[in-house]
């Protein structure tokens, strides 16, 4: 009797693993990215300035700064996220890089909206200030807290930008009242507009 119970428990475990694998493969084809293309938002400035402050960076050309955000989704239910921020001012150059990766599940919420849920498993913070770089792993509590999120999403195009396809996202933890069936519940500033080149 005992061997049958062990066999039954083993089969249930395998079934649970198979169901988990199916969930992790639920990434829609329309959002899957390649190694060379990411869903991206960039505000990195193309305008710079010449540093006229005496010191080691005198007369050097500097970018005006900005940020770059990237999301990648893979068929196997994995995601990666990168956030790069550049802040340059006279005498101080700072770059920060946050990178996380983990599992992602695409599904419908209770309102029938398309959402995806990220669960970050590992990540790193890296800071370069005036040429000196430090880095540290992201602690588990931060991975499970601020780096594991739920997003409302919709893929679309805009007639005034035929060169890009957009992935519109709203952070549902910050804005749980967002409802695509009632557009007045979504403020434009809540929407992150990630894009990739149109094929």
């Amino acid at each position: 009797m005992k061997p049958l119970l062990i066999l039954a428990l083993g089969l249930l475990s395998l079934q649970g693993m198979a169901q988990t694998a199916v969930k992790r493969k639920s990434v829609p084809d329309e959002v899957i990215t390649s190694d060379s293309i990411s869903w991206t938002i960039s505000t990195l400035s193309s305008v710079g300035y010449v540093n006229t402050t005496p010191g080691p960076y005198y007369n050097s050309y500097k970018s005006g700064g900005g940020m770059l955000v990237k999301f990648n989704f893979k068929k196997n239910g994995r995601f990666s996220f990168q956030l790069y921020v550049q802040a340059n001012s006279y005498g101080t150059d700072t770059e920060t890089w946050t990178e996380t990766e983990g599992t992602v599940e695409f599904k419908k919420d209770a309102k029938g909206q398309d959402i995806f849920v990220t669960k970050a498993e590992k990540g790193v913070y890296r800071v370069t200030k005036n040429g000196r770089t430090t880095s540290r792993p992201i602690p588990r509590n931060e991975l499970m807290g601020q780096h594991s999120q739920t997003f409302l999403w919709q893929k679309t195009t805009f007639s005034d930008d035929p060169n890009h396809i957009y992935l519109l996202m709203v952070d549902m933890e910050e804005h749980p009242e967002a409802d695509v069936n009632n557009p007045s519940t979504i403020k434009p500033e809540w929407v992150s507009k990630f894009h990739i080149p149109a094929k």
Side-chain angles (χ1 to χ4, degrees):
M1 187 77 127
K2 191 173 181 181
L4 286 175
L5 181 60
I6 291 170
L7 179 61
L9 288 173
L11 288 173
L12 285 173
S13 295
L14 286 174
Q15 183 180 11
M17 287 172 65
Q19 288 173 349
T20 300
V22 168
K23 282 184 179 178
R24 290 187 177 177
K25 290 184 179 177
S26 65
V27 179
D29 289 342
E30 62 191 298
V31 300
I32 291 172
T33 53
S34 67
D35 291 336
S36 59
I37 295 177
S38 304
W39 291 103
T40 303
I41 295 175
S42 178
T43 63
L44 287 174
S45 176
S46 59
V47 177
Y49 65 92
V50 175
N51 189 349
T52 58
T53 303
Y57 300 105
Y58 175 75
N59 210 28
S60 60
Y61 178 84
K62 301 291 180 186
S63 165
M67 73 171 186
L68 179 67
V69 188
K70 291 185 175 185
F71 254 115
N72 284 81
F73 303 106
K74 303 297 181 187
K75 277 186 181 180
N76 63 355
R78 304 287 296 174
F79 84 95
S80 64
F81 171 84
Q82 293 107 18
L83 169 63
Y84 170 77
V85 178
Q86 184 184 75
N88 298 327
S89 61
Y90 292 99
T92 304
D93 298 327
T94 304
E95 297 178 353
T96 63
W97 181 262
T98 301
E99 185 168 5
T100 61
E101 65 176 88
T103 62
V104 62
E105 182 182 359
F106 284 75
K107 59 184 181 178
K108 302 275 189 186
D109 69 4
K111 299 174 187 173
Q113 304 177 109
D114 289 317
I115 62 168
F116 67 85
V117 180
T118 63
K119 292 190 186 330
E121 297 173 341
K122 62 181 179 177
V124 65
Y125 295 129
R126 189 165 56 247
V127 178
T128 301
K129 188 170 183 178
N130 291 337
R132 184 173 177 268
T133 301
T134 59
S135 69
R136 65 181 177 93
I138 299 175
R140 180 167 175 73
N141 65 317
E142 292 180 24
L143 288 170
M144 297 309 295
Q146 67 197 58
H147 296 293
S148 294
Q149 299 166 285
T150 300
F151 293 96
L152 176 64
W153 70 277
Q154 186 175 51
K155 186 179 170 188
T156 191
T157 56
F158 295 107
S159 58
D160 60 346
D161 185 6
N163 297 322
H164 293 100
I165 299 167
Y166 284 83
L167 185 65
L168 307 180
M169 294 167 40
V170 175
D171 186 330
M172 292 300 284
E173 289 161 26
E174 286 189 17
H175 310 291
E177 67 273 30
D179 184 350
V180 293
N181 301 310
N182 184 1
S184 65
T185 64
I186 303 174
K187 295 182 180 178
E189 60 267 24
W190 297 352
V191 181
S192 298
K193 297 180 180 178
F194 288 81
H195 61 80
I196 57 171
K199 294 178 182 178

